[in-house]
Amino acid sequence: MTVLEEQVGIETPASGTWVLDRAHSSVEFVAKHLMVTKVRGSFAEFEGAIHVADRLEDSWAEATMKTSSISTGDAKRDGHLTSGDFLEIESFPEMTFKSTALKHVEDNRFEAMGDLSIKGVTKPVVLKVEYNGLGKSPWGNEVAFFSASTEINREDFGMTWNQALESGGVLVSKKVKIEIEAQATRS
């Protein structure tokens, strides 16, 4: 049993760098439209790594998303999201996250505190992380599985465009939920 496993009481990935498998991972978001409907989107181009240390407090994660790879299934909406009203992809081609601390909550749940940078603005966020275990691929590679989520206020990152509704409320919610499903292999 490793020092990390003794700390958290569950089997953990071996120490080292675990790289996200883009073909089996996703970075998605959810925002409300017209105050009711959930609109989902994702980033097709991203990379990331989880650096597992012997001691939990020395572990960290990082990720980079290409803002031009945003997709909601609607070309017109995607065009608006890549414009200056939202992501302004010409000036800000990437969004990044880098954890600054990791805390074991209980069982397989953790909190990853870190810095999220969008559109040139960096703010602290807390990712709620679930470690979903280890497995082996058909090719014999050890694979670690994680789920993570957080909620941000998009206006904190300079994305303030909106439109008032005649019935009250606004067209696009300020709150955006970010959801990550990660399958990582040891490098």
Side-chain angles (χ1 to χ4, degrees), residues 105-169:
V105 177
E106 69 176 337
D107 300 326
N108 66 332
R109 294 193 323 266
F110 299 82
E111 288 183 347
M113 288 64 75
D115 294 323
L116 178 63
S117 297
I118 304 173
K119 203 174 174 178
V121 178
T122 301
K123 296 283 184 185
V125 297
V126 176
L127 284 176
K128 294 181 186 302
V129 179
E130 233 180 280
Y131 167 59
N132 299 316
L134 291 170
K136 284 236 187 239
S137 74
W139 303 274
N141 299 324
E142 194 170 28
V143 182
F145 306 96
F146 301 88
S147 299
S149 66
T150 192
E151 187 173 87
I152 63 168
N153 181 335
R154 65 182 175 85
E155 291 186 349
D156 291 345
F157 296 91
M159 296 180 283
T160 59
W161 181 90
N162 223 329
Q163 189 171 351
L165 299 175
E166 189 177 300
S167 59

Side-chain angles (χ1 to χ4, degrees), residues 22-93:
R22 217 167 73 192
H24 299 101
S25 300
S26 62
V27 178
E28 300 177 335
F29 61 90
V30 181
K32 293 258 181 120
H33 180 258
L34 296 172
M35 305 296 294
V36 179
T37 307
K38 289 180 180 176
V39 173
R40 298 181 182 277
S42 63
F43 292 92
E45 295 180 43
F46 59 88
E47 58 187 33
I50 300 158
H51 305 275
V52 178
D54 288 331
R55 295 179 330 132
L56 179 66
E57 57 269 21
D58 296 332
S59 298
W60 57 283
E62 61 186 330
T64 301
M65 289 68 59
K66 300 286 185 191
T67 55
S68 63
S69 73
I70 195 169
S71 175
T72 63
D74 182 278
K76 186 176 177 183
R77 179 173 42 231
D78 294 348
H80 191 199
L81 290 173
T82 60
S83 76
D85 286 341
F86 291 94
L87 293 172
E88 196 174 340
I89 66 169
E90 282 79 26
S91 298
F92 306 102

